[in-house]
Amino acid sequence: MIDGLLLVDKPTGPTSHDAVAVVRRLLGERRVGHAGTLDPGASGLLVVLVGRATRLARFVTILPKRYAGTIRFGAETASDDADGAVTLSDESWRGLDAGAVRGALAAVAARTEQVPPAVSAKQVGGERAYRLARRGEAVDLKPAAVVVRRLEARRIALPEVDVEVECSSGTYVRALARDVGRALGTRAHLGALRRTAIGPWDVADALALEGASPATLQAALRPLREAVAHLPAVEIGADAATRVRHGGKIEAGAVREGPVAVTASGELLAVAEYRDGLYAPLVVLVS
């Protein structure tokens, strides 16, 4: 049985699904997935989950992300990035200065909601928004809650601005680029994007799949416990471990809000949640 997580440095071009397919083929393991899609035009850190780790995807996808990107002024696109057709052009960026750009970045970062891109996986009337957009249908997306902890300029060389972004899961960096352009009374889109970190993991520690071998991937696998290291841990004894292994509830020695990682002798057994005086398993990793 092959279990664990891989930190993969995805290049521009392949989809996240393509990266998963490479790992599946090299490891000979059917159960492979990822925790947080990267668009084909984006590069950087992709957390790939293998074996039982796929059951932990929801606890990894919620982690905050960090990106390095380039906002390009002068045009808005259908997808809010460089892959989309230009929908609106505007040359008024030529009158901008660095102070105005930094002010717009701060203003957009302070917002608690954003309208997702029309070309996105958001559901509209039971259908993915990108499918409606590709058919030329109007896409009415509602604002979604986001948290942008940092949106700062690293380099301002108009019409391009290199930025660093730290944001919550579910935040579209290309929508941030679009909104910065609009905040300045002009148009902009995301010209390039690289994800540099997810939660505690950094792209500097990631593996390139090109030329990788089965042995390389197996050596790079990280333990299941690392996927939920950000969750509070509840250590239990042998009797309670037996109950958890069969999906049973266990008594709570200390009450913790939200999901907890349940371990016995250091082994991750489950992720559970406090309910009505007991910890109830959400995911059981052993049986």
Side-chain angles (χ1 to χ4, degrees), residues 41-42 68-72 81-82 163 173 189-194:
T70 299
I71 298 175
R72 189 167 296 144
D81 62 14
V163 294
V173 181
H189 63 276
L190 189 67
L193 185 67
R194 180 166 174 78

Side-chain angles (χ1 to χ4, degrees), residues 211-226:
S213 67
T216 301
L217 294 191
Q218 291 207 36
L221 274 171
R222 294 163 177 254
L224 288 174
R225 182 70 182 85
E226 193 169 323

Side-chain angles (χ1 to χ4, degrees), residues 46-47 55 70 96 122 169 187 198 221 271:
L46 187 71
V47 176
R55 304 180 199 174
T70 299
L96 299 176
K122 292 290 186 180
S169 176
R187 303 293 172 175
I198 298 174
L221 274 171
V271 176

Side-chain angles (χ1 to χ4, degrees), residues 35-258:
T37 300
L38 270 178
D39 292 333
S43 68
L45 183 58
L46 187 71
V47 176
V48 176
L49 305 171
V50 180
R52 291 178 296 165
T54 55
R55 304 180 199 174
L56 301 172
R58 66 176 123 159
F59 308 110
V60 180
T61 55
I62 61 173
L63 290 169
K65 315 294 192 296
R66 190 169 71 239
Y67 298 90
T70 299
I71 298 175
R72 189 167 296 144
F73 291 92
E76 206 165 278
T77 72
S79 57
D80 296 330
D81 62 14
D83 291 336
V86 172
T87 55
L88 291 166
S89 298
D90 186 280
E91 293 296 309
S92 61
W93 62 267
R94 297 181 185 278
L96 299 176
D97 59 27
V101 170
R102 290 193 174 93
L105 293 172
V108 170
R111 297 176 183 175
T112 57
E113 292 184 327
Q114 72 171 190
V115 176
V119 180
S120 70
K122 292 290 186 180
Q123 292 274 358
V124 179
E127 191 167 4
R128 299 291 186 186
Y130 66 81
R131 290 178 180 154
L132 297 173
R134 287 170 183 169
R135 293 202 302 264
E137 298 181 28
V139 179
D140 182 22
L141 286 164
K142 305 302 181 186
V146 296
V147 176
V148 180
R149 296 176 179 83
R150 189 160 67 100
L151 176 57
E152 297 177 354
R154 292 189 298 124
R155 180 185 70 98
I156 298 177
L158 294 171
E160 292 187 344
V161 177
D162 292 339
V163 294
E164 289 186 350
V165 186
E166 291 181 13
C167 57
S168 61
S169 176
T171 304
Y172 286 90
V173 181
R174 47 197 168 107
L176 295 178
R178 174 202 66 204
D179 291 346
V180 168
R182 292 179 181 179
L184 288 163
T186 185
R187 303 293 172 175
H189 63 276
L190 189 67
L193 185 67
R194 180 166 174 78
R195 186 155 65 196
T196 56
I198 298 174
W201 302 298
D202 194 282
V203 71
D205 300 317
L207 175 75
L209 289 180
E210 185 177 359
S213 67
T216 301
L217 294 191
Q218 291 207 36
L221 274 171
R222 294 163 177 254
L224 288 174
R225 182 70 182 85
E226 193 169 323
V228 291
H230 56 288
L231 300 181
V234 173
E235 177 73 12
I236 60 176
D239 291 343
T242 299
R243 290 196 296 275
V244 168
R245 289 173 187 273
H246 293 90
K249 298 179 181 180
I250 57 174
E251 293 183 359
V255 177
R256 299 181 183 274
E257 294 295 326

